[in-house]
């Protein structure tokens, strides 16, 4: 009961129109001020890897054709080196010093801000698909979190993102299709504190609803942050192994990798 009271109090507090920008902390009348919105929208899709959303400056690229989401993949060195199974990643903003506090906030109770950012992501993604004449995915799946994290946090931020993507894109989402394998290593460790090798040996995922058919579907994974890409790649491999035609990602933020 006390935990529910704290959670509801947080939601009530954060639902009040903020007096300070969540990005730069300057006074404003919305979650982000005009300058931060301009900064957020300054991420140029043409300068980012279409597969993992890494910036291409000084990273090099390669090209592959006949991708589901885009006709030509522009690959950064990370994609060439790690050979991601997912075939596209759409980010709302770069997970840098300026906006690092946004991700912390959505992971720690600011659900109103989470919904606001998810709405921006969904509308930007919808515009991107329309402007580039790209077909909509068939299904959205939120990245699951462990039972321990769900108990501590009280919610899965990726589920909120999936729900809003589903509403704005007008395509279905499926919760509880996937779950964390709680016998896997590093289950109690925070993922952003692990390096790539540790992550690859860390969380494993399983299909929870084996009666749900994903054969032939083009699936969009919803998550808050992509760092090394290991989590999303492991899930993409699982989905493709179970018959999915392709897997792409829609995320709030991308932590840049220097490869």
């Amino acid at each position: 009961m006390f935990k529910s009271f704290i959670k509801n109090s947080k939601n009530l507090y954060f639902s009040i129109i903020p007096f300070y920008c969540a990005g730069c902390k300057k006074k404003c009348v919305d979650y982000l001020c005009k300058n931060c919105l301009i900064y957020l929208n300054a991420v140029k899709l043409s300068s980012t890897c279409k597969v993992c959303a890494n910036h291409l400056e000084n990273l090099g690229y390669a090209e592959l054709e006949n991708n589901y989401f885009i006709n030509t993949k522009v690959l950064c060195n990370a994609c060439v080196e790690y050979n991601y199974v997912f075939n596209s990643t759409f980010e709302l903003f770069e997970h840098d010093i300026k906006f690092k506090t946004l991700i912390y906030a959505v992971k720690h109770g600011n659900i109103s801000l989470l919904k606001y950012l998810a709405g921006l992501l969904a509308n930007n993604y919808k515009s991107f698909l329309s402007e580039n004449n790209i077909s909509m995915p068939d299904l959205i799946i939120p990245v699951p979190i462990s039972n321990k994290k769900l108990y501590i946090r009280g919610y899965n931020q990726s589920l909120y993102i999936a729900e809003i993507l589903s509403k704005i894109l007008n395509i279905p989402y499926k919760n509880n299709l996937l779950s964390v394998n709680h016998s896997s290593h590093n289950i109690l460790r925070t993922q952003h504190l692990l390096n790539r090798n540790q992550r690859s040996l860390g969380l494993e995922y399983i299909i929870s609803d084996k009666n749900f058919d994903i054969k032939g579907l083009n699936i969009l994974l919803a998550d808050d942050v992509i760092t090394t890409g290991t989590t999303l790649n492991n899930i993409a491999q699982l989905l493709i192994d179970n018959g999915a035609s392709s897997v792409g990602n829609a995320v709030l933020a991308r932590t840049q990798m220097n490869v």
Side-chain angles (χ1 to χ4, degrees), residues 168-216:
I168 292 177
L169 299 178
N170 194 29
I171 57 178
Y173 75 94
K174 173 65 175 175
N175 189 30
N176 298 324
L177 173 66
L178 305 173
S179 63
V180 174
N181 179 1
H182 289 86
S183 64
S184 60
H185 301 289
N186 293 327
I187 190 68
L188 301 181
R189 298 183 63 183
T190 302
Q191 286 289 287
H192 77 269
L193 298 178
L194 304 178
N195 61 37
R196 185 181 181 85
N197 290 333
Q198 290 171 325
R199 282 171 177 248
S200 65
L201 297 173
L203 295 182
E204 296 175 358
Y205 300 87
I206 57 175
I207 300 288
S208 301
D209 187 351
K210 297 186 181 300
N211 295 320
F212 191 86
D213 189 9
I214 61 172
K215 290 183 176 64

Short mmCIF file of all heavy atoms in Angstrom, two decimals, residues 168-216:
data_model
loop_
_atom_site.label_atom_id
_atom_site.label_comp_id
_atom_site.label_asym_id
_atom_site.label_seq_id
_atom_site.Cartn_x
_atom_site.Cartn_y
_atom_site.Cartn_z
N ILE A 168 -0.33 5.88 -31.92
CA ILE A 168 -0.07 6.90 -32.95
C ILE A 168 0.13 6.27 -34.33
O ILE A 168 -0.30 6.81 -35.34
CB ILE A 168 1.13 7.77 -32.54
CG1 ILE A 168 0.75 8.61 -31.30
CG2 ILE A 168 1.59 8.67 -33.69
CD1 ILE A 168 1.87 9.47 -30.76
N LEU A 169 0.78 5.10 -34.37
CA LEU A 169 1.02 4.43 -35.65
C LEU A 169 -0.17 3.58 -36.09
O LEU A 169 -0.24 3.15 -37.23
CB LEU A 169 2.27 3.54 -35.56
CG LEU A 169 3.59 4.24 -35.24
CD1 LEU A 169 4.72 3.21 -35.15
CD2 LEU A 169 3.92 5.30 -36.27
N ASN A 170 -1.08 3.34 -35.15
CA ASN A 170 -2.27 2.54 -35.42
C ASN A 170 -1.92 1.11 -35.85
O ASN A 170 -2.47 0.57 -36.81
CB ASN A 170 -3.16 3.20 -36.48
CG ASN A 170 -4.55 2.60 -36.53
OD1 ASN A 170 -5.08 2.11 -35.54
ND2 ASN A 170 -5.17 2.62 -37.71
N ILE A 171 -0.98 0.52 -35.14
CA ILE A 171 -0.64 -0.88 -35.34
C ILE A 171 -0.60 -1.54 -33.97
O ILE A 171 -0.36 -0.89 -32.95
CB ILE A 171 0.71 -1.06 -36.07
CG1 ILE A 171 1.84 -0.37 -35.32
CG2 ILE A 171 0.63 -0.56 -37.49
CD1 ILE A 171 3.20 -0.56 -35.97
N PRO A 172 -0.84 -2.85 -33.89
CA PRO A 172 -0.94 -3.51 -32.58
C PRO A 172 0.41 -3.66 -31.89
O PRO A 172 1.47 -3.64 -32.53
CB PRO A 172 -1.52 -4.88 -32.93
CG PRO A 172 -1.09 -5.12 -34.35
CD PRO A 172 -1.11 -3.77 -35.01
N TYR A 173 0.34 -3.79 -30.58
CA TYR A 173 1.53 -4.16 -29.80
C TYR A 173 1.20 -5.39 -28.98
O TYR A 173 0.03 -5.66 -28.69
CB TYR A 173 1.99 -3.01 -28.91
CG TYR A 173 1.16 -2.77 -27.67
CD1 TYR A 173 1.51 -3.35 -26.44
CD2 TYR A 173 0.03 -1.97 -27.71
CE1 TYR A 173 0.76 -3.14 -25.31
CE2 TYR A 173 -0.74 -1.75 -26.58
CZ TYR A 173 -0.37 -2.32 -25.39
OH TYR A 173 -1.13 -2.12 -24.26
N LYS A 174 2.22 -6.13 -28.63
CA LYS A 174 2.03 -7.36 -27.88
C LYS A 174 2.92 -7.33 -26.64
O LYS A 174 4.14 -7.41 -26.75
CB LYS A 174 2.37 -8.57 -28.76
CG LYS A 174 2.37 -9.91 -28.04
CD LYS A 174 0.99 -10.30 -27.54
CE LYS A 174 1.01 -11.71 -26.93
NZ LYS A 174 -0.28 -12.07 -26.32
N ASN A 175 2.30 -7.21 -25.48
CA ASN A 175 3.04 -7.28 -24.22
C ASN A 175 3.07 -8.73 -23.74
O ASN A 175 2.19 -9.53 -24.08
CB ASN A 175 2.37 -6.39 -23.18
CG ASN A 175 3.21 -6.27 -21.92
OD1 ASN A 175 4.43 -6.35 -21.97
ND2 ASN A 175 2.56 -6.07 -20.79
N ASN A 176 4.09 -9.06 -22.99
CA ASN A 176 4.24 -10.40 -22.41
C ASN A 176 4.47 -11.51 -23.44
O ASN A 176 4.31 -12.69 -23.13
CB ASN A 176 3.03 -10.76 -21.53
CG ASN A 176 2.88 -9.82 -20.35
OD1 ASN A 176 3.87 -9.38 -19.78
ND2 ASN A 176 1.64 -9.48 -20.00
N LEU A 177 4.80 -11.12 -24.67
CA LEU A 177 5.22 -12.15 -25.63
C LEU A 177 6.59 -12.67 -25.23
O LEU A 177 6.88 -13.86 -25.34
CB LEU A 177 5.28 -11.57 -27.04
CG LEU A 177 5.87 -12.51 -28.11
CD1 LEU A 177 4.96 -13.71 -28.32
CD2 LEU A 177 6.09 -11.77 -29.43
N LEU A 178 7.43 -11.75 -24.74
CA LEU A 178 8.78 -12.08 -24.30
C LEU A 178 8.91 -11.91 -22.79
O LEU A 178 8.18 -11.12 -22.18
CB LEU A 178 9.80 -11.17 -24.98
CG LEU A 178 9.80 -11.11 -26.50
CD1 LEU A 178 10.76 -10.03 -26.98
CD2 LEU A 178 10.16 -12.46 -27.10
N SER A 179 9.85 -12.60 -22.22
CA SER A 179 10.18 -12.40 -20.81
C SER A 179 11.66 -12.68 -20.60
O SER A 179 12.32 -13.30 -21.43
CB SER A 179 9.34 -13.31 -19.90
OG SER A 179 9.62 -14.68 -20.16
N VAL A 180 12.17 -12.17 -19.49
CA VAL A 180 13.57 -12.40 -19.14
C VAL A 180 13.72 -13.80 -18.57
O VAL A 180 12.91 -14.24 -17.74
CB VAL A 180 14.05 -11.34 -18.12
CG1 VAL A 180 15.45 -11.67 -17.63
CG2 VAL A 180 14.00 -9.94 -18.73
N ASN A 181 14.74 -14.50 -19.02
CA ASN A 181 15.07 -15.80 -18.45
C ASN A 181 15.79 -15.56 -17.13
O ASN A 181 16.94 -15.15 -17.12
CB ASN A 181 15.94 -16.59 -19.42
CG ASN A 181 16.33 -17.95 -18.88
OD1 ASN A 181 15.94 -18.33 -17.78
ND2 ASN A 181 17.11 -18.69 -19.66
N HIS A 182 15.11 -15.78 -16.03
CA HIS A 182 15.65 -15.41 -14.72
C HIS A 182 16.73 -16.36 -14.21
O HIS A 182 17.25 -16.18 -13.11
CB HIS A 182 14.52 -15.28 -13.70
CG HIS A 182 13.66 -14.09 -13.94
ND1 HIS A 182 12.60 -14.13 -14.82
CD2 HIS A 182 13.73 -12.83 -13.48
CE1 HIS A 182 12.03 -12.93 -14.87
NE2 HIS A 182 12.70 -12.13 -14.07
N SER A 183 17.10 -17.34 -15.02
CA SER A 183 18.23 -18.19 -14.65
C SER A 183 19.51 -17.72 -15.32
O SER A 183 20.58 -18.27 -15.08
CB SER A 183 17.95 -19.65 -15.07
OG SER A 183 17.86 -19.75 -16.47
N SER A 184 19.40 -16.65 -16.15
CA SER A 184 20.59 -16.17 -16.87
C SER A 184 21.50 -15.38 -15.96
O SER A 184 21.11 -14.91 -14.90
CB SER A 184 20.17 -15.32 -18.08
OG SER A 184 19.41 -14.21 -17.66
N HIS A 185 22.75 -15.20 -16.37
CA HIS A 185 23.75 -14.51 -15.59
C HIS A 185 23.48 -13.01 -15.53
O HIS A 185 22.77 -12.46 -16.37
CB HIS A 185 25.14 -14.75 -16.18
CG HIS A 185 25.53 -16.18 -16.25
ND1 HIS A 185 25.83 -16.93 -15.13
CD2 HIS A 185 25.65 -17.02 -17.31
CE1 HIS A 185 26.14 -18.15 -15.50
NE2 HIS A 185 26.03 -18.23 -16.82
N ASN A 186 24.06 -12.35 -14.55
CA ASN A 186 24.00 -10.89 -14.42
C ASN A 186 22.58 -10.36 -14.27
O ASN A 186 22.31 -9.20 -14.52
CB ASN A 186 24.65 -10.19 -15.63
CG ASN A 186 26.14 -10.43 -15.69
OD1 ASN A 186 26.79 -10.54 -14.66
ND2 ASN A 186 26.68 -10.51 -16.88
N ILE A 187 21.65 -11.22 -13.87
CA ILE A 187 20.26 -10.83 -13.82
C ILE A 187 20.01 -9.69 -12.85
O ILE A 187 19.12 -8.88 -13.04
CB ILE A 187 19.37 -12.05 -13.47
CG1 ILE A 187 17.89 -11.71 -13.67
CG2 ILE A 187 19.61 -12.53 -12.06
CD1 ILE A 187 17.51 -11.50 -15.08
N LEU A 188 20.81 -9.61 -11.80
CA LEU A 188 20.58 -8.59 -10.79
C LEU A 188 21.46 -7.37 -11.00
O LEU A 188 21.42 -6.44 -10.20
CB LEU A 188 20.82 -9.17 -9.38
CG LEU A 188 19.95 -10.37 -9.02
CD1 LEU A 188 20.27 -10.82 -7.60
CD2 LEU A 188 18.48 -10.04 -9.15
N ARG A 189 22.25 -7.37 -12.06
CA ARG A 189 23.16 -6.26 -12.30
C ARG A 189 22.55 -5.26 -13.28
O ARG A 189 21.82 -5.63 -14.19
CB ARG A 189 24.50 -6.78 -12.84
CG ARG A 189 25.21 -7.70 -11.86
CD ARG A 189 26.56 -8.11 -12.41
NE ARG A 189 27.44 -6.96 -12.57
CZ ARG A 189 28.66 -7.07 -13.09
NH1 ARG A 189 29.12 -8.25 -13.49
NH2 ARG A 189 29.42 -6.00 -13.22
N THR A 190 22.84 -4.00 -13.07
CA THR A 190 22.34 -2.96 -13.95
C THR A 190 23.05 -3.04 -15.29
O THR A 190 24.28 -3.00 -15.36
CB THR A 190 22.57 -1.57 -13.32
OG1 THR A 190 21.92 -1.54 -12.04
CG2 THR A 190 22.00 -0.47 -14.21
N GLN A 191 22.28 -3.09 -16.38
CA GLN A 191 22.85 -3.33 -17.70
C GLN A 191 23.81 -2.24 -18.15
O GLN A 191 24.81 -2.52 -18.80
CB GLN A 191 21.72 -3.50 -18.72
CG GLN A 191 21.00 -4.83 -18.60
CD GLN A 191 21.86 -5.99 -19.07
OE1 GLN A 191 22.09 -6.19 -20.26
NE2 GLN A 191 22.35 -6.78 -18.13
N HIS A 192 23.51 -0.98 -17.85
CA HIS A 192 24.38 0.08 -18.36
C HIS A 192 25.75 0.09 -17.68
O HIS A 192 26.67 0.77 -18.13
CB HIS A 192 23.70 1.45 -18.22
CG HIS A 192 23.72 2.01 -16.82
ND1 HIS A 192 22.70 1.77 -15.93
CD2 HIS A 192 24.62 2.79 -16.17
CE1 HIS A 192 22.98 2.39 -14.78
NE2 HIS A 192 24.13 3.01 -14.90
N LEU A 193 25.92 -0.71 -16.61
CA LEU A 193 27.21 -0.80 -15.94
C LEU A 193 28.06 -1.94 -16.49
O LEU A 193 29.22 -2.09 -16.12
CB LEU A 193 27.01 -1.01 -14.42
CG LEU A 193 26.29 0.12 -13.67
CD1 LEU A 193 26.12 -0.25 -12.21
CD2 LEU A 193 27.06 1.44 -13.81
N LEU A 194 27.49 -2.73 -17.40
CA LEU A 194 28.20 -3.87 -17.96
C LEU A 194 28.83 -3.49 -19.29
O LEU A 194 28.29 -2.70 -20.06
CB LEU A 194 27.24 -5.04 -18.18
CG LEU A 194 26.44 -5.53 -16.96
CD1 LEU A 194 25.51 -6.66 -17.39
CD2 LEU A 194 27.35 -5.97 -15.83
N ASN A 195 30.00 -4.10 -19.59
CA ASN A 195 30.57 -3.90 -20.91
C ASN A 195 29.90 -4.86 -21.90
O ASN A 195 29.07 -5.68 -21.53
CB ASN A 195 32.10 -4.09 -20.90
CG ASN A 195 32.51 -5.48 -20.47
OD1 ASN A 195 31.87 -6.49 -20.80
ND2 ASN A 195 33.60 -5.57 -19.70
N ARG A 196 30.30 -4.76 -23.17
CA ARG A 196 29.62 -5.55 -24.20
C ARG A 196 29.76 -7.05 -23.95
O ARG A 196 28.80 -7.80 -24.10
CB ARG A 196 30.16 -5.18 -25.58
CG ARG A 196 29.40 -5.88 -26.68
CD ARG A 196 29.94 -5.54 -28.06
NE ARG A 196 29.15 -6.21 -29.06
CZ ARG A 196 28.03 -5.72 -29.56
NH1 ARG A 196 27.56 -4.57 -29.15
NH2 ARG A 196 27.34 -6.40 -30.47
N ASN A 197 30.95 -7.50 -23.58
CA ASN A 197 31.15 -8.92 -23.33
C ASN A 197 30.30 -9.42 -22.17
O ASN A 197 29.75 -10.51 -22.21
CB ASN A 197 32.63 -9.21 -23.07
CG ASN A 197 33.49 -9.05 -24.30
OD1 ASN A 197 33.00 -9.22 -25.42
ND2 ASN A 197 34.76 -8.71 -24.12
N GLN A 198 30.20 -8.60 -21.11
CA GLN A 198 29.38 -8.98 -19.97
C GLN A 198 27.90 -9.03 -20.35
O GLN A 198 27.16 -9.89 -19.91
CB GLN A 198 29.60 -8.00 -18.82
CG GLN A 198 30.96 -8.12 -18.16
CD GLN A 198 31.23 -7.01 -17.17
OE1 GLN A 198 30.82 -5.86 -17.37
NE2 GLN A 198 31.92 -7.33 -16.09
N ARG A 199 27.48 -8.07 -21.18
CA ARG A 199 26.09 -8.06 -21.62
C ARG A 199 25.76 -9.30 -22.45
O ARG A 199 24.68 -9.88 -22.32
CB ARG A 199 25.81 -6.80 -22.46
CG ARG A 199 25.62 -5.54 -21.64
CD ARG A 199 25.58 -4.33 -22.55
NE ARG A 199 25.33 -3.11 -21.79
CZ ARG A 199 24.21 -2.40 -21.88
NH1 ARG A 199 23.24 -2.78 -22.66
NH2 ARG A 199 24.06 -1.30 -21.15
N SER A 200 26.69 -9.70 -23.31
CA SER A 200 26.44 -10.85 -24.16
C SER A 200 26.29 -12.13 -23.35
O SER A 200 25.65 -13.08 -23.78
CB SER A 200 27.57 -11.01 -25.19
OG SER A 200 28.79 -11.33 -24.54
N LEU A 201 26.85 -12.13 -22.14
CA LEU A 201 26.71 -13.28 -21.25
C LEU A 201 25.64 -13.05 -20.20
O LEU A 201 25.44 -13.85 -19.30
CB LEU A 201 28.05 -13.56 -20.54
CG LEU A 201 29.22 -13.94 -21.44
CD1 LEU A 201 30.50 -14.01 -20.62
CD2 LEU A 201 28.95 -15.26 -22.14
N GLY A 202 24.94 -11.93 -20.33
CA GLY A 202 23.99 -11.51 -19.30
C GLY A 202 22.57 -11.95 -19.57
O GLY A 202 22.28 -13.13 -19.70
N LEU A 203 21.67 -10.98 -19.68
CA LEU A 203 20.25 -11.30 -19.79
C LEU A 203 19.95 -12.13 -21.03
O LEU A 203 20.42 -11.84 -22.12
CB LEU A 203 19.42 -10.01 -19.83
CG LEU A 203 19.45 -9.14 -18.58
CD1 LEU A 203 18.55 -7.94 -18.77
CD2 LEU A 203 19.03 -9.92 -17.36
N GLU A 204 19.15 -13.14 -20.84
CA GLU A 204 18.65 -13.93 -21.95
C GLU A 204 17.14 -13.80 -21.96
O GLU A 204 16.52 -13.55 -20.93
CB GLU A 204 19.06 -15.39 -21.80
CG GLU A 204 20.56 -15.61 -21.85
CD GLU A 204 20.94 -17.06 -21.56
OE1 GLU A 204 20.01 -17.85 -21.29
OE2 GLU A 204 22.13 -17.38 -21.61
N TYR A 205 16.55 -13.97 -23.12
CA TYR A 205 15.11 -13.77 -23.27
C TYR A 205 14.47 -15.03 -23.85
O TYR A 205 15.10 -15.78 -24.59
CB TYR A 205 14.83 -12.56 -24.16
CG TYR A 205 15.41 -11.29 -23.59
CD1 TYR A 205 16.72 -10.92 -23.87
CD2 TYR A 205 14.67 -10.47 -22.75
CE1 TYR A 205 17.28 -9.77 -23.33
CE2 TYR A 205 15.21 -9.32 -22.21
CZ TYR A 205 16.52 -8.98 -22.50
OH TYR A 205 17.06 -7.85 -21.96
N ILE A 206 13.23 -15.24 -23.50
CA ILE A 206 12.49 -16.41 -23.98
C ILE A 206 11.12 -15.97 -24.48
O ILE A 206 10.62 -14.91 -24.11
CB ILE A 206 12.33 -17.47 -22.87
CG1 ILE A 206 11.62 -16.86 -21.64
CG2 ILE A 206 13.66 -18.07 -22.47
CD1 ILE A 206 11.32 -17.86 -20.55
N ILE A 207 10.54 -16.79 -25.35
CA ILE A 207 9.18 -16.57 -25.81
C ILE A 207 8.23 -17.07 -24.73
O ILE A 207 8.23 -18.25 -24.40
CB ILE A 207 8.91 -17.30 -27.14
CG1 ILE A 207 9.86 -16.82 -28.24
CG2 ILE A 207 7.46 -17.13 -27.54
CD1 ILE A 207 9.58 -15.45 -28.76
N SER A 208 7.44 -16.17 -24.17
CA SER A 208 6.52 -16.55 -23.09
C SER A 208 5.20 -17.10 -23.63
O SER A 208 4.65 -18.05 -23.10
CB SER A 208 6.24 -15.34 -22.18
OG SER A 208 7.42 -14.85 -21.63
N ASP A 209 4.69 -16.45 -24.68
CA ASP A 209 3.42 -16.86 -25.27
C ASP A 209 3.71 -17.64 -26.55
O ASP A 209 3.79 -17.08 -27.63
CB ASP A 209 2.56 -15.62 -25.57
CG ASP A 209 1.16 -15.98 -26.02
OD1 ASP A 209 0.91 -17.17 -26.27
OD2 ASP A 209 0.31 -15.06 -26.13
N LYS A 210 3.83 -18.93 -26.41
CA LYS A 210 4.18 -19.77 -27.55
C LYS A 210 3.01 -19.97 -28.51
O LYS A 210 3.17 -20.52 -29.60
CB LYS A 210 4.73 -21.11 -27.07
CG LYS A 210 6.02 -20.99 -26.26
CD LYS A 210 6.60 -22.33 -25.92
CE LYS A 210 7.87 -22.20 -25.09
NZ LYS A 210 8.93 -21.44 -25.77
N ASN A 211 1.81 -19.54 -28.11
CA ASN A 211 0.64 -19.67 -28.97
C ASN A 211 0.48 -18.48 -29.91
O ASN A 211 -0.36 -18.51 -30.80
CB ASN A 211 -0.63 -19.82 -28.12
CG ASN A 211 -0.64 -21.12 -27.32
OD1 ASN A 211 -0.24 -22.16 -27.83
ND2 ASN A 211 -1.10 -21.05 -26.08
N PHE A 212 1.29 -17.43 -29.68
CA PHE A 212 1.20 -16.24 -30.53
C PHE A 212 2.13 -16.40 -31.72
O PHE A 212 3.34 -16.57 -31.56
CB PHE A 212 1.57 -14.99 -29.72
CG PHE A 212 1.27 -13.71 -30.43
CD1 PHE A 212 0.02 -13.13 -30.36
CD2 PHE A 212 2.25 -13.08 -31.19
CE1 PHE A 212 -0.27 -11.95 -31.02
CE2 PHE A 212 1.98 -11.89 -31.86
CZ PHE A 212 0.71 -11.32 -31.77
N ASP A 213 1.56 -16.35 -32.92
CA ASP A 213 2.33 -16.63 -34.14
C ASP A 213 2.96 -15.34 -34.69
O ASP A 213 2.25 -14.37 -34.99
CB ASP A 213 1.41 -17.24 -35.19
CG ASP A 213 2.17 -17.74 -36.41
OD1 ASP A 213 3.42 -17.77 -36.36
OD2 ASP A 213 1.51 -18.12 -37.40
N ILE A 214 4.28 -15.31 -34.80
CA ILE A 214 4.97 -14.14 -35.35
C ILE A 214 5.60 -14.45 -36.71
O ILE A 214 6.33 -13.62 -37.25
CB ILE A 214 6.07 -13.63 -34.39
CG1 ILE A 214 7.14 -14.71 -34.15
CG2 ILE A 214 5.47 -13.16 -33.08
CD1 ILE A 214 8.35 -14.20 -33.37
N LYS A 215 5.29 -15.60 -37.26
CA LYS A 215 5.89 -15.99 -38.54
C LYS A 215 5.55 -14.98 -39.63
O LYS A 215 4.38 -14.65 -39.84
CB LYS A 215 5.43 -17.39 -38.93
CG LYS A 215 5.99 -18.50 -38.07
CD LYS A 215 5.55 -19.87 -38.56
CE LYS A 215 6.21 -20.98 -37.75
NZ LYS A 215 5.77 -20.95 -36.33
N GLY A 216 6.57 -14.50 -40.31
CA GLY A 216 6.37 -13.59 -41.42
C GLY A 216 6.13 -12.14 -41.05
O GLY A 216 5.97 -11.30 -41.92
#
